[in-house]
Amino acid sequence: KNEVEQSPQNLTAQEGEFITINCSYSVGISALHWLQQHPGGGIVSLFMLSSGKKKHGRLIATINIQEKHSSLHITASHPRDSAVYICAVTGNQFYFGTGTSLTVIP
Amino acid sequence: GAGVSQSPRYKVAKRGQDVALRCDPISGHVSLFWYQQALGQGPEFLTYFQNEAQLDKSGLPSDRFFAERPEGSVSTLKIQRTQQEDSAVYLCASSLVGQGDTGELFFGEGSRLTVL
């Protein structure tokens, strides 16, 4: 049973494209995290949100608590955005999605 | 240091050996988490500390896995009699606040364990 589901699992985009990664969860949460993991690298927290929408540069994260769904958007994608994007939720414990592997082609 | 520090970064062990992985969280962070990440998978929860108390160890896969945080700062994850299926990256994360509160997670670079 996966408490956090992400889609798609893999995504290839051309540079400049608008990208959306989706996350659905089945547990009660106090916060949702979007994390970025580069190949061979550590994990970096991109967003932590419990309602509404947040924006950092070209990245936008939204959450709908009623629908238990969040999306991560990347505008004007760039090859350096290539990474695994992981959705995680904080409830009684932390639950992680399996990640979305994004490749942006020049 | 400024971030979460883990050591060693890489460890190769022969099957049956014991290993110890260290996590030095951000100073003052209350919560500390250990995760196991197999190749191509997302992190899987192992255990959680709030200060020195181990509040949740439900994710530890067997009694060969043991974690401690005796003074509420540095934590050690010990794996006894390692098996090949223990090969993974072991990630440590810390958070300023206790679990259930909305604290941002800070991750270490991970310790990559390879069991031959």
Side-chain angles (χ1 to χ4, degrees):
Chain A
K1 160 172 154 294
N2 293 324
E3 289 81 3
V4 180
E5 299 273 0
Q6 284 186 239
S7 63
Q9 285 192 317
N10 297 285
L11 181 57
T12 300
Q14 291 289 332
E15 183 173 357
E17 283 186 7
F18 180 84
I19 288 163
T20 296
I21 300 171
N22 294 299
C23 174
S24 296
Y25 54 92
S26 59
V27 294
I29 70 168
S30 54
L32 182 143
H33 305 254
W34 279 104
L35 310 169
Q36 181 191 56
Q37 187 172 34
H38 283 283
I43 296 177
V44 174
S45 176
L46 297 175
F47 294 102
M48 181 185 67
L49 64 166
S50 54
S51 65
K53 175 176 160 179
K54 285 190 175 180
K55 183 175 188 292
H56 288 157
R58 295 181 294 106
L59 301 179
I60 303 166
T62 64
I63 187 169
N64 184 318
I65 297 294
Q66 288 72 31
E67 295 185 3
K68 295 190 173 182
H69 181 270
S70 175
S71 293
L72 175 69
H73 305 287
I74 304 175
T75 61
S77 59
H78 190 276
R80 65 174 173 267
D81 298 327
S82 298
V84 175
Y85 292 84
I86 302 171
C87 173
V89 299
T90 307
N92 291 327
Q93 58 174 270
F94 279 101
Y95 298 97
F96 287 79
T98 54
T100 294
S101 179
L102 171 65
T103 303
V104 181
I105 300 170
Chain B
V4 179
S5 177
Q6 290 188 246
S7 62
R9 288 291 312 279
Y10 303 93
K11 175 70 179 177
V12 178
K14 290 184 180 177
R15 192 174 59 174
Q17 281 186 331
D18 297 349
V19 300
L21 308 176
R22 176 189 168 107
C23 173
D24 203 334
I26 294 173
S27 178
H29 275 199
V30 168
S31 293
L32 186 146
F33 304 84
W34 282 100
Y35 299 96
Q36 180 190 57
Q37 187 175 25
L39 188 65
Q41 302 294 316
E44 296 277 347
F45 170 79
L46 291 177
T47 186
Y48 162 64
F49 289 87
Q50 185 165 306
N51 297 308
E52 69 279 3
Q54 189 175 20
L55 298 188
D56 189 342
K57 54 181 181 180
S58 61
L60 296 177
S62 76
D63 59 8
R64 296 186 295 103
F65 286 71
F66 172 77
E68 60 183 4
R69 193 187 185 197
E71 297 178 0
S73 55
V74 172
S75 177
T76 304
L77 176 67
K78 297 178 180 177
I79 309 173
Q80 297 176 321
R81 305 181 303 280
T82 52
Q83 303 294 315
Q84 285 188 322
E85 62 263 28
D86 300 334
S87 297
V89 175
Y90 291 85
L91 294 163
C92 176
S94 71
S95 175
L96 181 61
V97 297
Q99 185 165 269
D101 296 320
T102 53
E104 184 177 358
L105 286 174
F106 295 85
F107 283 83
E109 294 288 324
S111 293
R112 182 179 295 276
L113 172 65
T114 303
V115 182
L116 303 177

